[in-house]
Amino acid sequence: MVRRTGRRPGNPDTREAILAAARAAFAEKGFDGASIRGIATGAGVDPALVHHYFGAKDKLFLAAMNSPMDPLDVIAEAAAGDRSEVGERFVRVFLEIWDGPRGAAGVALLRSVVGTEWTTKLFREFILTQILRRAVPKLGLDEAEGQLRVTLAASQMVGMAMARYVIKVEPLASAPPEVVVAAIGPTVQRYLTDPMPGVFPRR
Amino acid sequence: MVRRTGRRPGNPDTREAILAAARAAFAEKGFDGASIRGIATGAGVDPALVHHYFGAKDKLFLAAMNSPMDPLDVIAEAAAGDRSEVGERFVRVFLEIWDGPRGAAGVALLRSVVGTEWTTKLFREFILTQILRRAVPKLGLDEAEGQLRVTLAASQMVGMAMARYVIKVEPLASAPPEVVVAAIGPTVQRYLTDPMPGVFPRR
């Protein structure tokens, strides 16, 4: 199981002020350009309080996105074990989270993501910095191929989440998790690790 | 090339009134339950005028959804030819539309789809009646397996559209169409036609 991220709850108003300032800063300056100090100033609090409530910048970003999971946990769990089953493990862990109580947060995230250009940009930063940047080394992917491989896998996972949890189109919406793993696992496996003629030059 | 659907433009106010009434009727009663007569009443016009502007009910539904394409045209084009290349053809026709001037309408459709429960329900009807119901016989799929096969393919196409056109995550967003066809075509092919142990019983 992937652990839920989170630290002390703290004062709800202060927390919300920090999260609002964080969303604005990440959307405007990107993940790398935004600073805890600047976010603290935007929220009118001490930087130490931001650290106290949320921890490091990537945890603050996940909280600002209301992410149902830390993608790093999912990637780490998928990466642990036989490389020929990484796709299957990835889909299984993803389904455990989305089929469970945290799925509602995932649906809300997807709904908010496409609402406005602003939130779309925030989600693009999320994929780039929280998924791509971490997944390529963690999964031991080739530098030159890794980015496209991971975005292809992400396209299948985002589409599966849209079809199963947002649009809820049957029979995919009610298919048992093991059926979905057997159907989509090989797709993710191929995108991440298999030779793809026409996509990457043969070596 | 897939032809753009459309008939006479007519009076813009009348057209909009009919489309608004159609959206409400399709969302409330579903595609099968909604009638041209009821929609005409809702818009305060004669049923003959609805036919005159939009043609048959499925054309009116596509117009009400602002669909960038008639899925039947895409399915027909994918179905024509060697069955072992149906996935590749499907992805190629899809990209031709979304990479072209009609792509903006596709992005607007996806954005509106996830906005509210109401529009999500409308899109679910769209997938069920305009894609699933037509694709299974047109592609010569097994009755028992066809629905899940088509929804799996749809999950990949919706996810690809999200990643490439809405979220615009690189390098997928800028990848040449032929690279995307080579990457995603085999996925759609497998979902539509290949044996899938663990998903469908072996025969």
Side-chain angles (χ1 to χ4, degrees):
Chain A
M1 279 297 294
V2 172
R3 293 181 315 283
R4 177 163 195 128
T5 59
R7 286 161 72 103
R8 285 146 240 221
N11 180 321
D13 290 347
T14 308
R15 266 183 68 88
E16 260 320 305
I18 294 170
L19 291 175
R23 282 181 203 112
F26 286 133
E28 193 195 330
K29 301 177 179 171
F31 178 78
D32 294 330
S35 70
I36 295 278
R37 178 170 296 275
I39 290 166
T41 303
V45 303
D46 193 88
L49 198 63
V50 178
H51 275 295
H52 175 73
Y53 279 177
F54 295 102
K57 189 162 75 167
D58 57 343
K59 296 294 183 194
L60 174 59
F61 191 45
L62 292 172
M65 292 291 299
N66 287 317
S67 175
M69 64 207 191
D70 184 340
L72 191 60
D73 290 341
V74 180
I75 295 163
E77 193 154 330
D82 189 339
R83 190 174 166 78
S84 69
E85 289 167 6
V86 63
E88 194 178 302
R89 279 196 305 274
F90 189 88
V91 177
R92 184 170 290 118
V93 178
F94 189 96
L95 286 176
E96 271 175 21
I97 294 168
W98 285 71
D99 281 342
R102 277 179 284 164
V107 171
L109 174 64
L110 273 181
R111 280 197 187 279
S112 77
V113 156
V114 297
T116 63
E117 280 291 342
W118 184 87
T119 49
T120 306
K121 191 182 166 206
L122 204 56
F123 193 63
R124 192 181 310 136
E125 276 293 297
F126 176 78
I127 290 192
L128 285 176
T129 63
Q130 306 303 304
I131 301 181
L132 282 186
R133 195 183 287 177
R134 294 158 147 198
V136 173
K138 195 91 188 174
L139 296 171
L141 301 178
D142 179 282
E143 278 277 335
E145 299 182 354
Q147 303 276 320
L148 183 55
R149 285 186 179 280
V150 173
T151 50
L152 285 168
S155 82
Q156 174 63 87
M157 298 316 292
V158 165
M160 202 273 292
M162 286 282 291
R164 185 172 167 95
Y165 305 107
V166 178
I167 306 168
K168 294 187 184 139
V169 60
E170 296 294 357
L172 184 56
S174 306
E178 277 314 304
V179 168
V180 180
V181 169
I184 288 179
T187 299
V188 175
Q189 181 75 36
R190 172 170 165 270
Y191 288 159
L192 291 179
T193 67
D194 293 359
M196 287 199 273
V199 181
F200 303 115
R202 289 161 198 263
R203 282 169 308 181
Chain B
M1 280 296 296
V2 172
R3 292 181 316 282
R4 180 167 192 122
T5 59
R7 285 160 73 103
R8 285 145 241 223
N11 180 320
D13 289 348
T14 308
R15 267 184 69 88
E16 259 321 305
I18 295 169
L19 291 175
R23 283 181 202 110
F26 287 133
E28 194 196 329
K29 301 176 180 171
F31 178 78
D32 294 330
S35 70
I36 296 278
R37 179 169 295 275
I39 290 166
T41 304
V45 303
D46 193 88
L49 198 63
V50 178
H51 275 295
H52 175 73
Y53 280 178
F54 296 101
K57 189 162 77 167
D58 56 344
K59 295 296 182 190
L60 174 60
F61 191 46
L62 292 171
M65 291 293 298
N66 287 317
S67 175
M69 65 208 189
D70 183 341
L72 191 60
D73 290 341
V74 180
I75 294 162
E77 193 154 331
D82 189 341
R83 192 175 164 79
S84 67
E85 288 166 6
V86 62
E88 194 178 300
R89 278 196 306 273
F90 188 88
V91 177
R92 183 170 292 120
V93 177
F94 189 96
L95 286 177
E96 271 175 21
I97 294 168
W98 285 71
D99 282 343
R102 279 179 283 166
V107 170
L109 174 63
L110 273 181
R111 280 197 188 281
S112 78
V113 156
V114 297
T116 61
E117 280 291 343
W118 185 88
T119 50
T120 306
K121 190 181 167 209
L122 205 56
F123 193 63
R124 192 182 310 136
E125 277 292 297
F126 176 77
I127 292 192
L128 285 176
T129 65
Q130 304 304 304
I131 301 181
L132 281 186
R133 194 183 288 177
R134 294 158 145 199
V136 172
K138 195 91 187 173
L139 295 170
L141 301 178
D142 180 281
E143 279 278 334
E145 300 181 352
Q147 304 276 319
L148 183 56
R149 286 186 179 278
V150 173
T151 50
L152 286 167
S155 82
Q156 173 62 87
M157 298 316 291
V158 165
M160 203 274 291
M162 286 282 291
R164 184 173 168 95
Y165 304 107
V166 178
I167 307 168
K168 293 186 185 141
V169 58
E170 296 294 356
L172 183 56
S174 306
E178 277 313 305
V179 168
V180 179
V181 169
I184 289 179
T187 299
V188 175
Q189 182 76 36
R190 174 171 164 270
Y191 288 160
L192 291 180
T193 67
D194 294 359
M196 288 199 273
V199 180
F200 302 115
R202 289 160 200 263
R203 284 168 306 179

